[in-house]
Amino acid sequence: MEKRHIPKNLRCKGSKKSLGAAAAAFAVCLVLLVFLIGAVIGRYQRQLRSDNSVKAKEFYFTCNLLDGGTHTLAPGSTEVIFTLGNYADELRFSEVDIDYKVTVTPADGVNVEYSNTAQKLLAGGKKDDAVTIKGLSPNNTYTVTATGTGGYSQTLTAKIVVLPTEGQVYYNEENVSGEYLLLTVWNEGEEVGNVTIHYKGIPDNTNPNMTDWNTGGETAQEKSVSIEPHESKVFRFFNATDITVEGATAKEPY
């Protein structure tokens, strides 16, 4: 059988092609291997983060009244009710139990009542507890403080002002061009204020507030007047020489 003769240059070309194909295949395999290793490592890291990482638990301590500001109660108010909560909104709430305490300064005559006598907001969902402060007195300012602890600590506070029950009546006199005197009396309180106006001079009986006032000339006269809450009344006098208001305080109007 006759041997076929393959030229040397053709044998080299075939060898080079085989080596090139092998190198390309190796490169593809290497890229796939790196990709697979990266995917496995990434998956492992995600599992590690989700399963084994330490995450700080959520803590929320809120109140619908204790916002750092000042709140005014109407005259005659003796108590105030507010709520303490363990959440920021419908989706964010504390993941730890919160023990809380409320204090009031000054504490004289004041009693704090808790709807939950354990004074604890339990974790696991939105919780609200009502707190009632009783024994407040008129014309006083109270500082109310609530402190919540549960691995963390937060303090909420506000001032509560109770208005006085009596009327807060003021007056102001204005001499208009030397022709007549205007007397303004007003009440900034929540109760009726009663004053007595002493005067010398001629009251303006055309003024609806003064239709039945007596003209005494040089003889001193007086008239009792009631001023409703947040009401203002104006009185006018001619040739007035002496006017005083009993039961009110002199003050510049706003």
Side-chain angles (χ1 to χ4, degrees):
M1 188 176 195
E2 187 178 339
K3 269 188 174 181
R4 296 181 61 187
H5 175 69
I6 301 175
K8 184 182 286 187
N9 61 338
L10 292 178
R11 290 200 299 270
C12 289
K13 288 181 180 179
S15 176
K16 288 180 179 178
K17 286 182 179 180
S18 298
L19 289 174
F26 177 77
V28 172
C29 291
L30 183 60
V31 170
L32 290 173
L33 181 62
V34 171
F35 176 79
L36 290 173
I37 291 174
V40 170
I41 292 175
R43 181 179 178 185
Y44 174 75
Q45 287 176 336
R46 286 194 299 272
Q47 289 177 337
L48 185 64
R49 283 196 299 268
S50 61
D51 296 339
N52 299 326
S53 63
V54 177
K55 175 180 174 294
K57 292 186 176 181
E58 298 289 352
F59 176 88
Y60 299 101
F61 185 57
T62 57
C63 181
N64 65 343
L65 180 71
L66 308 182
D67 55 5
T70 299
H71 302 274
T72 302
L73 302 183
S77 299
T78 59
E79 68 179 49
V80 62
I81 302 174
F82 57 88
T83 58
L84 297 173
N86 68 340
Y87 58 90
D89 51 43
E90 294 293 329
L91 301 178
R92 294 179 296 167
F93 47 81
S94 287
E95 298 175 331
V96 295
D97 293 344
I98 300 175
D99 295 299
Y100 63 86
K101 181 176 179 61
V102 175
T103 57
V104 183
T105 305
D108 297 343
V110 175
N111 181 38
V112 180
E113 295 182 359
Y114 302 95
S115 62
N116 176 10
T117 55
Q119 295 170 232
K120 183 185 289 289
L121 296 165
L122 299 178
K126 283 180 55 179
K127 298 292 189 304
D128 275 310
D129 284 352
V131 178
T132 303
I133 299 176
K134 295 185 176 182
L136 304 177
S137 57
N139 203 25
N140 264 323
T141 299
Y142 300 89
T143 299
V144 182
T145 302
T147 303
T149 56
Y152 308 89
S153 179
Q154 186 171 358
T155 298
L156 308 173
T157 187
K159 290 187 181 298
I160 306 297
V161 178
V162 185
L163 293 177
T165 54
E166 67 273 10
Q168 299 174 9
V169 185
Y170 303 94
Y171 73 92
N172 177 260
E173 294 181 11
E174 180 184 3
N175 194 317
V176 181
S177 303
E179 297 181 4
Y180 56 87
L181 184 143
L182 282 182
L183 173 67
T184 303
V185 184
W186 70 95
N187 186 351
E188 296 181 9
E190 301 295 333
E191 300 290 330
V192 175
N194 296 301
V195 301
T196 301
I197 300 174
H198 302 269
Y199 64 94
K200 288 181 181 179
I202 303 172
D204 180 6
N205 293 133
T206 65
N207 184 321
N209 298 321
M210 309 175 73
T211 56
D212 60 346
W213 288 42
N214 295 325
T215 300
E218 292 298 318
T219 304
Q221 303 287 324
E222 66 178 46
K223 187 71 173 180
S224 296
V225 178
S226 294
I227 310 293
E228 296 293 327
H230 307 291
E231 182 185 32
S232 174
K233 289 184 177 181
V234 177
F235 309 93
R236 184 164 65 169
F237 300 87
F238 300 98
N239 301 324
T241 57
D242 186 14
I243 294 181
T244 60
V245 183
E246 181 183 342
T249 303
K251 181 179 179 181
E252 288 296 324
Y254 295 117

